[in-house]
């Protein structure tokens, strides 16, 4: 009897692992789009303003913060989906609104406070060159900001993954969410670590002074990597901002039925066009999400500026 019970237990475990593997694959596919946004946002936030020997420690600190975020979010998501499923979408929309605000605030600050931004950048460059100046506080602020943004993106990843296993047993839900949480975190910050060290890898390659073909090829690749790194960082700065509007806008449009109807009408219209209908059907929801994210971000920034202006007058 004991042997039969053990075999039954092993069979149940094998079936559970098989279900987890299949459902994890489905959840990974559905969260892949958020993974791209997460990568762009975090790489942009962690690029620039750090000494070369501090880049990986900062990425490691944000990685640990991201794992802590998911360790908090997974049980909360499971509890909310069981006891209060109706509050999940409003919370996600609140997080989406914050991403829209943060994205537009960066653009506003760059275009309307550019002189101050340039001055701060020059001060930061001087600080980085001065070995006697401790920039620990700057690093801590950068880490906190990245972890704060990661919390919202992680929440979306967890909720999307939860949606694929909502009708499955609780053991399967827990296993899939833990697997997705670890996979996405390792994937994002592994790539981020590689991105921020591209230029250092290039410097390492050009140190090879050998005159053979292999040495010349290494130096050519090294010079290309050094030239490519700042261009990639600029692109990620742009992509990270757009990703904030896309993710934030999608959270808003998914939570408001009127937007669903609008998107459906736009997709139906695009599908009936004589040319490029497939392409337009694919990008129409993204363009609407982007537009909603941009407009909402602008509204929130202007409200914030008005509130600060009134508060300043009251204080004076």
């Amino acid at each position: 009897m004991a042997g039969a019970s053990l075999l039954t237990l092993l069979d149940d475990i094998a079936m559970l692992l098989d279900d987890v593997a299949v459902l994890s694959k489905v959840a990974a596919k559905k969260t892949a789009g958020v993974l791209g946004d997460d990568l762009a946002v975090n790489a942009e936030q962690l690029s620039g303003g750090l000494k070369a020997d501090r880049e990986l420690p900062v990425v490691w600190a944000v990685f640990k913060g991201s794992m802590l975020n998911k360790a908090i979010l997974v049980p909360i998501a499971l509890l909310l989906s069981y006891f209060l499923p109706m509050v999940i979408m409003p919370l996600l929309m609140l997080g989406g609104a914050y991403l829209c605000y943060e994205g537009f605030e960066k653009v506003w600050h760059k275009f309307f406070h550019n002189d101050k931004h340039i001055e701060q950048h020059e001060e930061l460059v001087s600080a980085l060159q001065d070995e006697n100046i401790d920039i620990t506080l700057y690093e801590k602020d950068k880490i906190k900001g990245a972890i704060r943004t990661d919390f919202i993106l992680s929440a979306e990843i967890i909720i999307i993954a939860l949606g694929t296993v909502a009708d499955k047993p609780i053991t399967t839900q827990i296993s899939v969410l833990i697997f997705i949480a670890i996979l996405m975190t390792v994937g994002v910050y592994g790539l981020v670590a590689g991105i921020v060290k591209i230029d250092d890898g290039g410097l390492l390659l050009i140190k090879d002074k050998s005159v053979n073909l292999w040495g010349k090829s290494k130096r050519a690749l090294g010079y290309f990597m050094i030239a490519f790194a700042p261009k990639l960082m600029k692109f990620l700065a742009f992509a990270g901002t757009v990703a904030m509007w896309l993710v934030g806008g999608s959270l808003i449009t998914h939570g408001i039925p009127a937007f669903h109807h609008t998107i459906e009408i736009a997709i139906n219209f695009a599908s009936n066009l004589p040319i490029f209908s497939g392409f337009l059907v694919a990008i129409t929801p993204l363009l609407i999400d982007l537009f909603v994210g941009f407009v909402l971000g602008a509204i929130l920034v202007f409200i914030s500026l008005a509130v600060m202006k009134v508060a300043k007058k009251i204080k004076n």
Side-chain angles (χ1 to χ4, degrees), residues 2 4-5 10 16 38 90 116 151 173 187 192 212 243 309:
S5 298
L10 291 174
L16 173 62
D38 202 357
K116 185 178 180 181
F151 188 88
Q173 293 184 23
V192 169
N212 55 31
K309 188 175 181 179

Side-chain angles (χ1 to χ4, degrees), residues 249-270:
S250 68
L251 290 172
I252 301 300
T253 57
H254 279 77
I256 300 177
F259 281 117
H260 277 296
H261 186 58
T262 302
I263 291 173
E264 287 175 1
I265 292 174
I267 290 175
N268 288 333
F269 176 79

Side-chain angles (χ1 to χ4, degrees), residues 80-132:
L80 287 177
S81 68
Y82 187 80
F83 293 106
L84 295 168
M86 72 289 297
V87 305
I88 292 178
M89 184 52 68
L91 289 175
L92 280 175
M93 291 176 67
L94 186 63
Y98 171 76
L99 283 178
C100 296
Y101 166 83
E102 193 173 58
F104 193 86
E105 195 275 337
K106 287 169 60 180
V107 175
W108 179 266
H109 185 79
K110 180 175 180 62
F111 283 97
F112 293 93
H113 299 278
N114 195 45
D115 293 340
K116 185 178 180 181
H117 178 75
I118 293 173
E119 183 180 345
Q120 290 175 342
H121 178 72
E122 291 175 350
E123 290 176 357
L124 178 60
V125 171
S126 299
L128 289 171
Q129 294 174 345
D130 190 345
E131 297 294 335
N132 297 319

Side-chain angles (χ1 to χ4, degrees), residues 4-24:
S5 298
L6 178 60
L7 289 175
T8 301
L9 175 61
L10 291 174
D11 183 60
D12 290 342
I13 292 173
M15 290 180 63
L16 173 62
L17 292 176
D18 184 58
D19 288 343
V20 169
V22 172
L23 292 167
S24 295

